[in-house]
Amino acid sequence: MLRLILALTFSCLASLALANPDFWRHEWPRTDFSRTTVESWTEILSGGPPKDGIPALDAPEFVPVGQKRGLEPREPVIALELPGARPRAYPIRYLTWHEIVNDSIAGVPIAVTFCPLCNSALTFDRRVAGRVLSFGVTGKLRNSDMVMYDRETESWWQQAEGRAIVGELTGRELNLLPSWMEGWADFAARNPEGLVMAQPAYNRAYGRNPYRGYDSSKRPFLYSGELPPHGIPALARVVRVGERAWPLSRLAQEREVQEAGVRLSWRPGQASALDTASIGAGRDVGSIRVRDGAGRDLPHDVMFAFAFHAFWPEGEWMLGR
């Protein structure tokens, strides 16, 4: 953990010195830096790896749930259950090392994403303005959140928002699809006929957590912004629905909350991917489902409180008191 802190601190200092498009154009000759919503280039830092140093995955292979081996019962997966398609699970043990999966399901091109530094797991429709985009990892961070890029225009996209912040497509937004993180055993029990992503053909320590102890830290890495209000710890998990955030600790205590037109349900059974050295052995943080009044799943995110406050500073905190 100390090595990771030192490496990221050095990367942060180096990034501040190079936070200027003039230093980025050799790596990003196709990116239109004249178009941006970023107020100051110092907001964008290098996370360490270069462009595609964290390799996104394309068109992954899947195996039936009953044939999958090696996943721990509480090991987190991103569950995607779209009408007309077999349910799919994307194990966090793979997304920790790749962060983006470009896939298609029921004829819909999607990007399944996970930013470990924000605990943000979101699934997007890759269709924008009449074209299908595919995404990679820039190696850059803003507010400690992954900055993605599309390979077609090399515009940069903020993962937590699904919004283009630099380049030709600046201002465009990706449609968010309902998906959620839960323990592998829960997904498998509910979807015995479902599919789970097969292990990628990369030499990675899949199942090991390179961010050991991160979600017990006092402050997030590569973040110098304002901390959350109301005494909420920076790395406390919150459930974001639109511009509202419910503390996970409240939901774990109350088990079910119905307010602001949504119903949020908590159940145990999911390990934190950012706790122990083994992803499947982390402490139980539970799983969340968010539905509307008709029982339909709604897009949402379970992210760290600092990230919600950074991107939605005027957002509403649903504290229940």
Side-chain angles (χ1 to χ4, degrees):
M1 185 66 178
L2 179 59
R3 290 182 180 178
L4 178 61
I5 292 173
L6 291 173
L8 290 174
T9 300
F10 176 80
S11 174
C12 178
L13 293 173
S15 296
L16 287 172
L18 301 177
N20 188 306
D22 292 339
F23 293 98
W24 297 331
R25 284 193 175 94
H26 73 282
E27 188 179 25
W28 300 94
R30 295 174 52 216
T31 302
D32 183 357
F33 289 102
S34 69
R35 304 179 65 177
T36 183
T37 57
V38 177
E39 293 184 1
S40 171
W41 293 116
T42 59
E43 296 178 26
I44 299 177
L45 304 175
S46 171
K51 175 184 179 183
D52 295 325
I54 297 174
L57 299 174
D58 298 286
E61 295 184 356
F62 289 83
V63 298
V65 162
Q67 296 179 18
K68 185 64 174 179
R69 301 292 180 267
L71 297 183
E72 298 294 330
R74 294 186 303 112
E75 190 164 330
V77 301
I78 297 176
L80 187 61
E81 301 179 4
L82 296 183
R86 292 172 71 179
R88 295 188 184 185
Y90 299 80
I92 292 297
R93 63 163 51 206
Y94 305 143
L95 279 152
T96 295
W97 298 93
H98 297 282
E99 301 193 359
I100 299 173
V101 178
N102 294 292
D103 196 9
S104 293
I105 180 170
V108 178
I110 62 170
V112 182
T113 70
F114 177 61
C115 176
L117 294 179
C118 288
N119 194 69
S120 175
L122 295 170
T123 301
F124 301 103
D125 187 326
R126 294 190 282 117
R127 294 173 295 189
V128 176
R131 69 175 96 180
V132 176
L133 305 179
S134 60
F135 289 92
V137 181
T138 63
K140 305 284 190 291
L141 299 170
R142 179 167 169 259
N143 292 327
S144 201
D145 179 60
M146 169 176 46
V147 177
M148 314 185 295
Y149 78 95
D150 69 75
R151 296 163 177 160
E152 289 67 32
T153 72
E154 296 206 344
S155 297
W156 293 6
W157 298 75
Q158 194 71 60
Q159 181 266 350
E161 299 176 300
R163 182 172 59 89
I165 59 172
V166 178
E168 177 185 329
L169 297 179
T170 292
R172 295 281 187 175
E173 294 187 12
L174 299 168
N175 288 328
L176 190 59
L177 300 175
S179 64
W180 56 92
M181 287 176 62
E182 65 181 342
W184 164 240
D186 286 340
F187 177 88
R190 192 177 63 255
N191 298 297
E193 302 304 317
L195 299 171
V196 57
M197 194 174 109
Q199 180 165 307
Y202 281 81
N203 183 21
R204 297 290 189 276
Y206 295 122
R208 183 176 69 81
N209 170 25
Y211 305 93
R212 182 178 181 179
Y214 177 55
D215 63 357
S216 298
S217 302
K218 297 290 187 184
R219 290 189 65 93
F221 293 132
L222 301 182
Y223 179 74
S224 58
E226 188 177 75
L227 295 180
H230 310 297
I232 298 174
L235 284 99
R237 288 171 170 83
V238 300
V239 181
R240 181 185 72 82
V241 185
E243 296 187 4
R244 295 187 174 99
W246 283 259
L248 189 65
S249 58
R250 176 194 171 191
L251 300 176
Q253 183 177 11
E254 299 184 29
R255 295 295 179 113
E256 184 166 294
V257 171
Q258 188 162 349
E259 58 190 11
V262 299
R263 187 173 77 253
L264 303 97
S265 304
W266 180 94
R267 61 178 293 176
Q270 181 190 169
S272 165
L274 301 166
D275 182 22
T276 58
S278 171
I279 288 176
R283 71 184 185 282
D284 197 327
V285 294
S287 303
I288 290 289
R289 292 287 289 273
V290 180
R291 298 181 174 95
D292 64 13
R296 294 169 297 202
D297 287 300
L298 294 176
H300 65 278
D301 197 8
V302 180
M303 66 195 316
F304 290 136
F306 81 87
F308 174 76
H309 187 55
F311 291 110
W312 291 274
E314 303 301 320
E316 184 176 1
W317 295 86
M318 309 299 287
L319 305 179
R321 17 168 215 230

